[in-house]
Amino acid sequence: MALSRDEITEKVREALVDALGVDEDEVTPEARIGGDLGAESIDYLDIVFRLEKAFNIKIPRGDLFPDNILSSDEFVQDGKLTEKGLGELKARMPHADLSQFEQNPNVQDIADLFTVDMIVRYVESKLGGEEG
Amino acid sequence: MRWIWIDRFVEFDRGRRAAAVKCVSLAEEHLHDHVPGFPVHPPTLMIEGMAQTAGVLVGDVFDFKEKVVLAKVTRATFHRHVGPGDRLRFEAEVQGEVRHEGAAITGTITSNGDLVAEIELMFAHLDQSREPVEPGEGNFVFNEDFIRLLRMRQLRDLASNGPSPDA
Amino acid sequence: MKFYLVDHIQELAPPDRIVAVKNLTLAEEYLADHFPAYPVLPGVLMLEALVQTAAWLVRVATDFEKTLILLKEARNVRYGTFVRPGGRLVMEVTALDIGPDASRFKAIGLCDDKTAVQARLTLEHTNVADEDPAGPEIDASLRPFWRRRFALIGGPRALENGQPGA
């Protein structure tokens, strides 16, 4: 019943291959959905729908790929995230590794946080945090 | 040549699935170019038929207030040729649900029960994506002609009364 | 409307690459429906333009052997900028593999240097004779038909320009 990390990774890989038309071996844990796998705006929604179906979960808007952080002055100044913005991002993406990003939080680099591994960890947390 | 690639809706289950039919006829100009002497209904126009079937299904969810446009053809696979005299049946099904950000559709096209094509599409709502559109009057995607020709105002009846006799 | 989505071949380097152009003009009647007051090249016609461009590369690479070259599968077709009347779509198609019966391509369509469409295509190549008893006669008239069209859209000149030392 409960899925292992490997099983989750395999289903995430399948969803990404179907949504993005990439080869299986391109879908490594560090691969960035945008930068490496070529995802564009509509693809993020495609990925969300496929993950919902594959894992029978609900992914509300902005939960997996927070897009609305960018629209507030509170969170963004001169192309960088403010303290508040960073705090908001951390709260929204507890499953992402922000240590590098924090050092120079450029808004345009947020997309680099969306890696295959980030998605696997998000799904894990939605399913109740199974250990691998 | 009109830009309508389906003829009539035969089933409509709001927000979930829809079916439409299209007759292929030698009266259609494009068949004489594609190809001379051997008319084959172009696969890309079958994708459009699916996009129109699914586009109405998706547009209905927000009462045709959003400009629903084709954003992605994730996959379209074709299994047999279709020509004059064939009657195509387009069946579209929403994956998950239609959202403000867009929708994903899976569909099949059959002819006399034989599988012609399998198609996966995604739609976006124009004002929320792509490039900004000059302000105009109302929704040019679901315009009066399209609504009238496809009898879209009767879709709600189709939804409550069930599949039409020639489904 | 004529179902010809390639107006001119700009570059031709068989079997690897072809670049062609489709002009978009208000004279194209279907634009009245797509959309009223906001005419743009329909997404599937952008895709058809890519398919037809790829088909020309197949014909040249296989010496016009098969008469019917059709889309078998399209994958990951994504749309970007619109193409409006007075504009043109520049189709750049790169062959991944061209066999006797099928071929695969990466294709992109640009308008004013912005991406309007991109796709992965698989085409299948057959002769009418493969599926129709009247086939051989139809094929016999189609081969010269395609060669004439190839000349109509600047194919031979593009081929010549692509030769080393041209």
Side-chain angles (χ1 to χ4, degrees):
Chain A
M1 250 265 278
L3 293 176
S4 69
R5 170 172 282 211
D6 279 348
E7 284 168 315
I8 294 178
T9 303
E10 191 43 48
K11 285 170 98 126
V12 168
R13 178 175 294 124
E14 205 178 301
L16 292 175
V17 165
D18 287 344
L20 304 178
V22 292
D23 295 325
E24 276 192 15
D25 49 23
E26 292 178 70
V27 185
T28 60
E30 326 72 50
R32 296 163 301 162
I33 309 302
D36 298 315
L37 302 182
E40 295 177 2
S41 162
I42 191 69
D43 297 316
Y44 288 93
L45 185 60
D46 196 355
I47 292 168
V48 163
F49 283 135
R50 286 178 197 273
L51 293 175
E52 285 191 331
K53 186 171 184 176
F55 296 106
N56 203 24
I57 53 179
K58 277 279 159 230
I59 304 179
R61 180 178 193 170
D63 216 37
L64 176 58
F65 302 119
D67 51 354
N68 31 21
I69 293 221
L70 315 181
S71 45
S72 167
D73 290 337
E74 261 193 299
F75 300 148
V76 178
Q77 289 262 321
D78 298 323
K80 286 192 197 291
L81 285 189
T82 59
E83 275 297 317
K84 252 194 142 168
L86 210 39
E88 177 71 14
L89 191 63
K90 283 183 177 178
R92 303 282 300 284
M93 295 181 73
H95 38 273
D97 176 11
L98 296 174
S99 48
Q100 278 222 302
F101 176 75
E102 272 187 285
Q103 287 160 34
N104 196 8
N106 287 320
V107 154
Q108 64 197 27
D109 296 336
I110 286 185
D112 286 346
L113 298 171
F114 305 146
T115 61
V116 174
D117 191 55
M118 183 278 269
I119 295 179
V120 170
R121 283 188 274 146
Y122 174 87
V123 171
E124 266 182 341
S125 72
K126 289 291 277 196
L127 293 177
E130 292 299 310
E131 298 294 321
Chain B
M1 179 176 101
R2 302 245 27 191
W3 194 253
I4 301 201
W5 296 106
I6 51 176
D7 292 329
R8 184 195 304 178
F9 277 88
V10 294
E11 284 174 36
F12 201 77
D13 184 1
R14 297 189 69 190
R16 300 214 321 216
R17 31 180 310 282
V21 295
K22 175 194 172 35
C23 286
V24 181
S25 167
L26 269 178
E28 298 182 80
E29 289 172 9
H30 68 277
L31 288 178
H32 298 263
D33 297 328
H34 191 276
V35 297
F38 192 68
V40 177
H41 190 49
T44 52
L45 294 184
M46 289 200 270
I47 295 175
E48 181 66 14
M50 182 62 75
Q52 292 184 347
T53 305
V56 170
L57 179 59
V58 167
D60 169 65
V61 172
F62 296 121
D63 293 315
F64 306 112
K65 302 246 173 9
E66 294 277 13
K67 302 181 186 68
V68 175
V69 290
L70 185 62
K72 178 175 171 181
V73 180
T74 314
R75 190 198 283 254
T77 309
F78 298 90
H79 300 292
R80 64 199 305 126
H81 295 158
V82 162
D86 285 337
R87 189 160 179 259
L88 298 177
R89 180 187 165 92
F90 297 81
E91 292 193 22
E93 190 173 322
V94 175
Q95 296 301 294
E97 79 276 318
V98 176
R99 298 192 181 191
H100 281 286
E101 309 93 274
I105 298 282
T106 302
T108 55
I109 306 177
T110 53
S111 174
N112 202 30
D114 296 324
L115 183 65
V116 172
E118 296 164 286
I119 302 190
E120 291 171 31
L121 306 171
M122 291 207 65
F123 294 94
H125 296 128
L126 193 53
D127 296 327
Q128 304 191 29
S129 73
R130 279 163 97 169
E131 34 182 78
V133 167
E134 282 107 47
E137 292 162 27
N139 191 334
F140 52 70
V141 172
F142 298 113
N143 56 79
E144 199 43 50
D145 258 6
F146 194 71
I147 290 175
R148 213 166 11 91
L149 285 168
L150 287 176
R151 312 187 76 218
M152 277 160 56
R153 295 205 173 86
Q154 285 82 357
L155 283 176
R156 307 271 165 101
D157 296 332
L158 191 55
S160 22
N161 300 338
S164 101
D166 51 5
Chain C
M1 178 219 184
K2 292 300 216 178
F3 205 67
Y4 300 130
L5 277 298
V6 175
D7 288 323
H8 193 79
I9 299 178
Q10 315 278 62
E11 288 172 39
L12 188 46
D16 303 309
R17 182 177 148 85
I18 179 172
V19 178
V21 142
K22 185 218 163 0
N23 274 354
L24 187 66
T25 170
L26 267 179
E28 296 177 54
E29 292 167 6
Y30 62 85
L31 288 175
D33 286 331
H34 192 281
F35 297 103
Y38 194 72
V40 292
L41 182 60
V44 300
L45 289 187
M46 287 198 228
L47 180 61
E48 180 69 25
L50 295 180
V51 168
Q52 291 190 9
T53 304
W56 283 117
L57 187 55
V58 172
R59 287 187 192 102
V60 174
T62 60
D63 198 28
F64 293 76
E65 192 209 321
K66 297 281 172 79
T67 55
L68 221 51
I69 300 176
L70 294 176
L71 180 64
K72 172 71 181 163
E73 180 168 273
R75 292 210 62 186
N76 217 30
V77 183
R78 287 173 297 180
Y79 295 103
T81 189
F82 285 125
V83 180
R84 286 169 233 221
R88 46 186 6 203
L89 184 69
V90 178
M91 296 82 75
E92 296 181 8
V93 174
T94 306
L96 300 172
D97 180 52
I98 300 183
D101 304 317
S103 49
R104 291 177 309 122
F105 304 87
K106 266 173 55 160
I108 186 166
L110 301 164
C111 182
D112 294 331
D113 297 317
K114 295 199 284 196
T115 302
V117 62
Q118 53 190 305
R120 298 233 165 194
L121 307 174
T122 303
L123 269 49
E124 68 174 358
H125 327 151
T126 55
N127 285 322
V128 177
D130 298 338
E131 57 190 278
D132 189 319
E137 276 163 44
I138 301 174
D139 288 325
S141 69
L142 274 176
R143 282 190 193 94
F145 168 78
W146 290 122
R147 286 190 190 272
R148 280 195 306 275
R149 286 216 67 80
F150 183 62
L152 199 68
I153 58 177
R157 168 78 53 86
L159 202 54
E160 214 173 73
N161 288 345
Q163 301 297 336

